[in-house]
């Protein structure tokens, strides 16, 4: 079996973990019981041992189409052949806010026309395929038992299921169906119960409950703009990547997918970055999801109460054990090694996170979500710490492994941290040493305008004393550091147009001109392209902004999802789907709608 391209997958989830389903009917990635737990299926990074659960037609002459049930996270894969049309319906019933080890993936095979014969195979790989397991047959189903966990395979509509048997470390069987028939498999983890027979009506009831949950949640959105379908799908994707017990938003549900096929830029993104989660507040509030924004603010408050300064990322439960290691037994997606789990960037200093956090709290306060006493105490302590530490090199937003630099974006976001903290203190009457904060804010402004500005090239630069451009600079007018009409910003935009933009797609920076400590290049960065749309709109270049946005929409995959980067031929690269990309899409759509309507 060959790897399905990254972009040929859809995502399902239950708000504590998620799975990726390829359009050939294979579950190629699934970690349990949480997003950041070891994998049970990891075919995406190792086709021989990673593990998978596949359900597909027995014959090869079929055409496949995959889509989401509108307004939901229910994925439908349609298999069309001369003998009939079958629909594979995949979903995970939503869990509550209490952490649980028990998770279900429901796979319904429904024959909508003619007849069909479908093969199913389930071959788990417990603990990143490092733990052995035994296969146990029960009267009602199958059990995979390992020291690292347990999986049961529970049938429904068992009269349609034929010839189920153990094949090596897995189970294989056949589903036969005539028009109107349904059969299903329920995969369950974390349960001590033996496998059991599900009735067809029971699995359809789970389907209806899951459908109603998602449609009810989507119905709370107040976005009524021009790109409602794309914004809605991005919002659902972000919700799917939120760990309900804590409100933590992961960067992506996968690990080890390459930014360059065959290269070493293969990171683990199944954690919560303060930066990503802070950006989410802007997007969530823009769509009217105050409860979700408030839940993240509570997560941030808890992190600030734990240590000052906070780390740049955490596990979904707030843990800090993110030691990076390589899974040497995995061959990697299309040979891209090493496959990394954990993330050593956790030990980096990234000064920009303070501005991103304070900006999110400030936006929330303007929407009526004022910080409580404990929350403000933690925030003011963080800003006080920053008063003594902002003027030092840091590792930067892109987590380069080439040493610390005086990064312009990091300094600007320190300015944002002081500016928003000052505004909140004065507006809400909150206690603070605002005179000290004002001095720091003013000093940063003068420093960036002198050291972060290249007078010869007439552009802001990635870092002090360097001519290199950086797409993170696109955020300067978005946070109000410079006005879109400022001559310095207009000339910076011209430089970005010339050096970082390729047919509307935007590179983060030039890794050749600005070595980041890693070999190889990378694709265009989707979040930066959406930032570019926002910056164009603020500069009054509305026709360019709209065309760039519409072009970018064509680079989503067939079900509206984006990874981190876009490759030379339009392929998706990096971990998938990527929260950054979908957050930036929402914000760009909202901003562009406002600019066009004004």
């Amino acid at each position: 079996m060959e790897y399905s391209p990254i972009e040929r997958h859809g995502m399902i989830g239950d708000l504590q973990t998620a799975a990726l389903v390829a359009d050939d009917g294979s579950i190629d990635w699934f970690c349990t019981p949480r997003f950041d737990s070891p994998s049970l299926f990891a075919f995406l990074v190792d086709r021989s041992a990673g593990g998978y659960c596949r359900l597909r037609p027995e014959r090869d002459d079929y055409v496949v189409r995959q889509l989401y049930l509108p307004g939901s996270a229910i994925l439908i894969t349609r298999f069309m052949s001369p003998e009939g049309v079958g629909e594979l319906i995949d979903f995970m019933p939503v869990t509550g806010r209490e952490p649980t080890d028990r998770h279900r993936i429901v796979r319904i095979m429904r024959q909508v026309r003619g007849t069909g014969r479908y093969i199913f195979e389930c071959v788990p790989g417990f603990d990143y395929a490092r733990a052995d397991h035994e296969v146990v047959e029960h009267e009602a189903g199958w059990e995979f038992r390992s020291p690292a966990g347990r999986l049961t395979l529970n049938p429904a509509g068992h009269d349609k299921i034929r010839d189920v048997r153990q094949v090596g470390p897995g189970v294989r069987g056949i589903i036969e169906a005539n028009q109107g028939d349904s059969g299903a498999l329920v995969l369950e983890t974390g349960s001590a119960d033996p496998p059991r027979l599900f009735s067809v009506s029971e699995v359809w009831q789970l389907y209806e409950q899951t459908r109603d949950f998602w449609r009810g949640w989507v119905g709370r959105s107040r976005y009524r703009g021009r790109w409602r379908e794309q914004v809605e799908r991005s919002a659902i994707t972000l919700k799917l990547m939120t760990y309900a017990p804590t409100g933590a938003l992961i960067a992506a549900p996968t690990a080890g997918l390459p930014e360059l096929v065959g290269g070493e830029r293969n990171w683990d993104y199944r954690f919560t970055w303060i930066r990503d989660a802070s950006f989410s507040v802007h997007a969530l509030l823009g769509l009217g999801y105050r409860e979700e924004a408030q839940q993240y603010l509570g997560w941030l408050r808890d992190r600030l109460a734990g240590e000052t300064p906070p780390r740049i990322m955490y596990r979904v439960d707030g843990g800090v054990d993110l030691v990076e290691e390589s899974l040497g037994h995995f061959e990697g997606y299309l040979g891209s090694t090493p496959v990394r789990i954990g993330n050593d960037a956790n030990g980096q200093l990234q000064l920009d996170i303070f501005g991103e956090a304070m900006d999110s709290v400030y936006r929330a306060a303007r929407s009526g979500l004022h910080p409580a006493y404990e929350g403000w105490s933690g925030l003011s302590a963080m800003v006080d710490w920053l008063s003594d530490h902002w003027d030092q090199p840091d590792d930067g937003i892109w987590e380069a492994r080439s040493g610390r630099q005086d990064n312009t974006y990091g300094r600007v976001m320190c300015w944002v941290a002081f500016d928003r903290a000052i505004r909140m203190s004065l507006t809400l009457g909150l206690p603070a040493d605002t005179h000290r904060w004002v001095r720091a804010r003013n000093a940063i402004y003068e420093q960036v305008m002198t050291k972060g500005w290249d007078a010869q090239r007439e552009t802001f630069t990635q870092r002090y004393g360097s001519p290199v451009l950086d797409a993170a600079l696109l955020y300067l007018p978005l946070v109000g550091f410079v006005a879109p009409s400022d001559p310095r910003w207009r000339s910076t935009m011209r430089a970005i147009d010339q050096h970082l933009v390729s047919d509307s797609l935007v590179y983060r920076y030039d890794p050749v001109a600005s070595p980041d400590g890693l070999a190889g290049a990378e694709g265009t960065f989707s979040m930066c392209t959406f930032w570019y749309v926002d910056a164009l709109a603020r500069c009054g270049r509305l026709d360019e902004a709209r065309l760039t946005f519409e072009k970018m929409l064509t680079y989503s995959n067939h079900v509206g999802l984006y990874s981190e980067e876009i490759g030379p031929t339009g392929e998706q690269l990096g971990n998938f789907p990527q929260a950054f990309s979908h957050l930036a899409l929402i914000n760009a759509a909202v901003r562009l709608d406002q600019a066009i309507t004004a």
Side-chain angles (χ1 to χ4, degrees), residues 301-313:
R301 178 201 63 218
D302 292 342
R303 304 291 78 73
L304 295 180
E307 53 186 336
T308 301
R311 297 171 183 254
I312 68 169
M313 69 178 89

Side-chain angles (χ1 to χ4, degrees), residues 492-515:
T492 298
M493 278 291 286
R494 288 194 293 270
I496 290 174
D497 291 339
Q498 182 178 354
H499 297 287
L500 294 182
V501 179
S502 175
D503 187 30
S504 80
L505 299 175
V506 180
Y507 290 94
R508 291 191 292 182
Y509 53 87
D510 181 352
V512 176
S514 179

Side-chain angles (χ1 to χ4, degrees), residues 174-197:
I174 299 291
I175 295 178
E176 293 182 340
N178 297 316
Q179 184 170 319
D181 289 342
S182 297
L185 300 172
V186 179
L187 282 66
E188 187 166 19
T189 65
S191 172
D193 300 328
R196 70 177 180 88
L197 292 175

Side-chain angles (χ1 to χ4, degrees), residues 316-331:
V316 294
D317 63 350
V320 296
D321 177 19
L322 282 78
V323 175
E324 189 175 297
E325 61 178 300
S326 297
L327 299 176
H329 61 293
F330 277 173
E331 69 174 11

Side-chain angles (χ1 to χ4, degrees), residues 305-430:
E307 53 186 336
T308 301
R311 297 171 183 254
I312 68 169
M313 69 178 89
Y314 296 85
R315 289 194 174 274
V316 294
D317 63 350
V320 296
D321 177 19
L322 282 78
V323 175
E324 189 175 297
E325 61 178 300
S326 297
L327 299 176
H329 61 293
F330 277 173
E331 69 174 11
Y333 174 80
L334 294 176
S336 303
T337 56
V339 176
R340 295 184 176 92
I341 57 173
N343 200 313
D344 280 349
N346 184 43
Q348 290 189 350
L349 174 66
Q350 297 178 15
L351 293 172
D352 62 277
I353 68 169
F354 300 101
E356 289 138 4
M358 282 305 306
D359 192 48
S360 69
V361 174
Y362 174 70
R363 291 178 185 274
R366 291 185 63 186
S367 298
L369 299 175
H370 295 175
Y373 172 78
E374 291 79 6
W376 178 251
S377 296
L379 290 168
S380 59
M382 180 185 75
V383 179
D384 284 338
W385 179 92
L386 192 61
S387 299
D388 295 324
H389 296 89
W390 65 264
D391 193 12
Q392 62 178 304
D394 76 332
D395 294 290
I397 180 177
W398 306 128
E399 298 173 3
R401 301 199 173 190
S402 55
R404 295 180 178 178
Q405 306 281 347
D406 290 308
N407 292 293
T408 302
Y409 175 78
R411 292 294 202 282
V412 169
M413 295 310 291
C414 288
W415 177 91
V416 171
F418 290 117
D419 180 74
R420 302 314 192 252
I422 293 164
R423 291 171 185 256
M424 289 180 63
S425 175
L426 297 178
T427 302
L428 302 178
L430 298 171

Side-chain angles (χ1 to χ4, degrees), residues 84 111 135-136 154 175 204 263 272 294 299 306 353 393 403 463 474 512:
Q111 194 66 24
V135 183
V136 181
N154 309 274
I175 295 178
W204 280 113
T272 298
Q294 193 165 19
W299 178 87
I353 68 169
R463 58 181 184 270
L474 290 164
V512 176

Side-chain angles (χ1 to χ4, degrees), residues 72-123:
S72 81
I74 297 173
L75 193 65
I76 302 173
T77 307
R78 307 187 77 222
F79 300 112
M80 296 172 283
S81 71
E83 69 177 7
V85 176
E87 288 186 343
L88 171 60
I89 303 172
D90 284 303
F91 63 94
M92 295 182 69
V94 177
T95 57
R97 288 193 173 180
E98 291 299 319
T100 179
D101 291 342
R102 191 168 186 170
H103 301 277
R104 287 176 176 173
I105 298 176
V106 180
R107 317 201 76 189
I108 303 174
M109 193 68 238
R110 176 173 65 179
Q111 194 66 24
V112 297
R113 191 179 71 211
T115 62
R117 185 176 166 91
Y118 304 91
I119 299 172
F120 69 83
E121 301 168 283
C122 186
V123 186

